Structures are given as C-alpha cells and as structure tokens.
Amino acid sequence: MTDLAQRMMMDASLSRTEQAALAIGQLAEQAPRGARLGTKTELQEQCGVAKGTFNEALRILQSRGVITVRSGPGGGLFAASPTPIARLGNSILSLDAAEGDVADAVRIRDTLDPLLIEDALEHSSAADIARMRVALAVMQEAVDAGDATGFVRANWDLHAAIARVSPNGILKSIYLSLLDLIESHTVSVEPDDHQSLPQYITERQKLHADLVDALDTRDRDRALRLIREHNTTLTSVR
C-alpha cells in the first residue's frame, strides 16, 4: 500500500475527493516549498481514485494555494507555500459531518451572505453578472427537469459566482470553503412541510433571478431584502 493510500484511510468518513485532497495536501505541507511531489498520473495511481475525483481534489488544493501544477517535461505537482487564508480554507476542508453538523455550516454561510451581497452591489462587473445569469440558466434547466438536487448544486454555483466578486479575500475564502463542505455532505433535498418540491424550487428560482436583477441594477434595498428572505426560507439538505 502506498503512503498516500495509507493517508487516505485515516478518515473514512470523508468523501474520496476530500480524502485525496487531504492526503496530497499533507504530503505538500511536509515537503520543502517548490519540491516536486510527482506526476499527476503517479499520484492519482497512488491515491487509487478515478481521474475525475483526482482532478477535483487538485482543484481544491490549487484554490487553497497548497500545490502548483506544471505541464510539459519535468512537470507534475509541486509543493507551494499556502498563505494564512489558504490554511484557514484547509482547516474548514478537514471538517466532516461528525465534527460539525452541516446545518451549522449552512447557518454560518447564511450569516455571511449579506456581506457578500454588499460587495457584489459595489463591485459586480458586466462579466460577473453574466456568469451569475449562466448559473441561473442551469438552475432553470433543473427546475424544468424536476431535478431538485441538480437545482441546489447549480444554486451553490450561483452563490459561488457572487462570492468571487468580493475583494475581501478572507470572507471569500471562508464562504467558498463552507460551500465545499456543505456540497460534499449533501445527498438529497427535502422541502418543508408546507410546499411540494416542484413548487419550492420554482419559487427559489424566481427569488434568485430577482436577486441577480437587483445586483445588476444596483438596487441595494431590494437585494438585501431578497437575501434576508432567502435565508429564512431554506429547505433541508441531507
């Protein structure tokens, strides 16, 4: 058994993506800055995960400044020196459902939403709004297909697009890490006792479309009212 495979077995409660990310992250943190960890193929085989799973783990690690990836001769994965913000993201990534209820992560995320909306109102460019509308279109496709889980995941993509507008690196890092944690532990979506699932996602779609419109027109009062409404009419994610 490889060293990476042994590292991955240390916490079986995590998803395979999380296990691979943590194993490679630990390897990078123990190596000198700039040290070559191996090729993508070598490390994927050592982790024993599918290519898509491995690539998603690399995306997480790159976004947190733990590794760099270089192509061409002599390329591969190299250890980086993560910033304090990146280390904060890594500590959130290491959480699992046993250590912190997903509901707690959702509650913290909701508390941060108004701050991100304020930043989006001030800093959103036309390109940022266009990216939000792409996520809205995917959400609408999920509504039309009756795919509640697909809708929620597209919804998170929208919130991630809004978060990335913020110039506040700490706020953005914490929020995106919380989204990663919530998404990794979501299996299904359930409405509250007063609405059917199709009705729920249809109404949520309209709320998010209205929110993006408010950001586009810089309508602060409307945007903040909608995000308050958003965070008091949540469904259950399991």
Side-chain angles (χ1 to χ4, degrees):
M1 181 179 295
T2 67
D3 180 53
L4 281 180
Q6 290 177 329
R7 291 173 188 266
M8 290 182 62
M9 292 179 63
M10 293 177 64
D11 195 340
S13 67
L14 300 180
S15 71
R16 295 292 283 171
T17 297
E18 291 170 319
Q19 289 176 349
L22 287 172
I24 297 170
Q26 290 172 356
L27 185 66
E29 289 170 358
Q30 292 169 4
R33 181 178 181 181
R36 187 173 182 272
L37 306 177
T39 67
K40 290 176 67 174
T41 300
E42 289 169 348
L43 294 171
Q44 179 193 336
E45 291 177 351
Q46 291 178 37
C47 287
V49 296
K51 184 176 181 180
T53 299
F54 184 75
N55 286 338
E56 179 63 16
L58 294 191
R59 182 192 68 79
I60 292 170
L61 292 171
Q62 285 180 283
S63 71
R64 286 166 172 71
V66 177
I67 63 167
T68 57
V69 180
R70 303 175 196 165
S71 58
L77 273 63
F78 295 81
S81 181
T83 64
I85 291 176
R87 288 195 293 272
L88 176 61
N90 293 335
S91 69
I92 294 176
L93 174 66
S94 68
L95 292 173
D96 63 31
E99 294 173 317
D101 192 336
V102 173
D104 290 336
V106 172
R107 182 166 172 252
I108 297 168
R109 185 209 66 174
D110 292 347
T111 302
L112 300 179
D113 271 331
L115 296 176
L116 289 165
I117 291 300
E118 291 274 15
D119 283 352
L121 284 164
E122 183 173 353
H123 298 286
S124 289
S125 66
D128 293 325
I129 297 296
R131 280 189 284 271
M132 295 175 201
R133 294 199 185 281
V134 168
L136 279 174
V138 177
M139 290 167 63
Q140 185 61 58
E141 290 175 0
V143 170
D144 295 340
D147 180 4
T149 301
F151 173 83
V152 170
R153 295 192 186 282
N155 178 12
W156 291 331
D157 287 342
L158 171 61
H159 281 274
I162 294 172
R164 290 189 179 98
V165 174
S166 175
N168 186 325
I170 294 175
L171 174 61
K172 181 162 46 180
S173 179
I174 292 173
Y175 191 89
L176 293 176
S177 296
L178 287 168
L179 282 182
D180 283 343
L181 173 63
I182 295 164
E183 182 173 6
S184 68
H185 290 294
T186 297
V187 176
S188 64
V189 182
E190 299 178 8
D192 60 30
D193 295 334
H194 306 293
Q195 292 177 300
S196 67
L197 196 51
Q199 179 187 5
Y200 176 83
I201 62 176
T202 297
E203 292 184 2
R204 297 293 286 184
Q205 170 66 16
K206 184 178 186 308
L207 187 152
H208 286 87
D210 289 346
L211 177 61
V212 172
D213 285 343
L215 294 177
D216 193 11
T217 59
R218 300 294 196 269
D219 188 337
R220 182 178 183 276
D221 290 342
R222 186 183 183 208
L224 293 177
R225 175 179 58 78
L226 287 167
I227 201 63
R228 285 194 298 270
E229 181 181 344
H230 172 280
N231 291 343
T232 56
T233 56
L234 290 173
T235 190
S236 299
V237 290
R238 308 232 173 160

